[in-house]
Amino acid sequence: VCSSDLYNVIGYNTKLLAKADVPKSWEDLADPKYKGKMIWGDALDSGGPLVVLHILKTLGEQRANALFDKLAKQEVASSSASGRAISDIVVAGEHAMNISAAGPHIVDSKSTGASVDWVEFDPVIARSDQLQILKSAPHPYAAMLLIDYILSEEGQKNQTSTNEMGAHPKVQPNGEL
């Protein structure tokens, strides 16, 4: 049995972008002050393509296409590196923002003292791995109990203690918000 919840956030370098200048919405990313300062991954399931699909679904086709026309002029860098590596690029100051950052990567870097923080746009992009019990599991009832624990408030608190983000509505991410 395996569980991991992942939230995509905007990870930003606090030395390059003051908290007051952090974008508050997808539309804010079209502001010319962010030109050449953004990067995202090209992975279909976690990078720019996921962000584009999310924007289409949340803003609607007309608003999304207008935003895409503006973002095309923003010189958003794209990378085929891993999500962790792209967040490290932001931590190193090569770009001010990762607009498809895995929340746990940013929380983990921040917890080690890196000059990085994050912001999420409403609604947040949330992806959840699957919990599965194999048909041939030798102890399927024990696996069911483990899944119950993983999904419980206590289990999700345990998950956040390792800088992961929980999915339980009463459990906040570890660290400052």
Side-chain angles (χ1 to χ4, degrees), residues 66-87:
L67 176 59
F68 297 149
D69 288 341
K70 294 174 185 173
L71 286 176
K73 299 172 186 167
Q74 290 293 73
E75 299 175 8
V76 177
S78 182
S79 176
S80 60
S82 70
R84 173 78 252 181
I86 295 169
S87 290

Side-chain angles (χ1 to χ4, degrees), residues 15-168:
K15 290 182 179 177
L16 300 178
L17 198 60
K19 194 163 189 92
D21 292 329
V22 173
K24 305 206 179 0
S25 70
W26 293 112
E27 288 94 342
D28 287 352
L29 296 176
D31 189 316
K33 70 182 174 184
Y34 301 125
K35 185 175 183 174
K37 295 182 179 183
M38 297 177 278
I39 187 169
W40 60 9
D42 63 6
L44 295 175
D45 64 338
S46 61
L50 176 67
V51 171
V52 167
L53 179 61
H54 179 75
I55 290 171
L56 273 168
K57 291 285 191 181
T58 58
L59 298 183
E61 192 171 342
Q62 187 175 2
R63 280 179 59 201
N65 285 333
L67 176 59
F68 297 149
D69 288 341
K70 294 174 185 173
L71 286 176
K73 299 172 186 167
Q74 290 293 73
E75 299 175 8
V76 177
S78 182
S79 176
S80 60
S82 70
R84 173 78 252 181
I86 295 169
S87 290
D88 288 344
I89 287 169
V90 172
V91 169
E94 294 179 37
H95 290 278
M97 284 186 282
N98 176 356
I99 60 174
S100 64
H105 294 162
I106 303 301
V107 170
D108 187 48
S109 293
K110 183 178 177 181
S111 74
T112 64
S115 299
V116 68
D117 209 344
W118 60 279
V119 64
E120 62 187 28
F121 298 152
D122 189 25
V124 68
I125 300 174
R127 298 178 290 126
S128 182
D129 284 347
Q130 299 175 2
L131 293 171
Q132 300 178 9
I133 301 173
L134 297 176
K135 182 171 99 173
S136 59
H139 305 287
Y141 297 107
M144 285 183 224
L145 289 172
L146 177 59
I147 288 173
D148 285 346
Y149 170 75
I150 290 170
L151 296 175
S152 73
E153 184 175 352
E154 180 185 358
Q156 293 295 292
K157 282 182 183 176
N158 185 38
Q159 183 168 325
T160 61
S161 72
T162 61
N163 289 334
E164 294 293 326
M165 293 179 160
H168 194 283

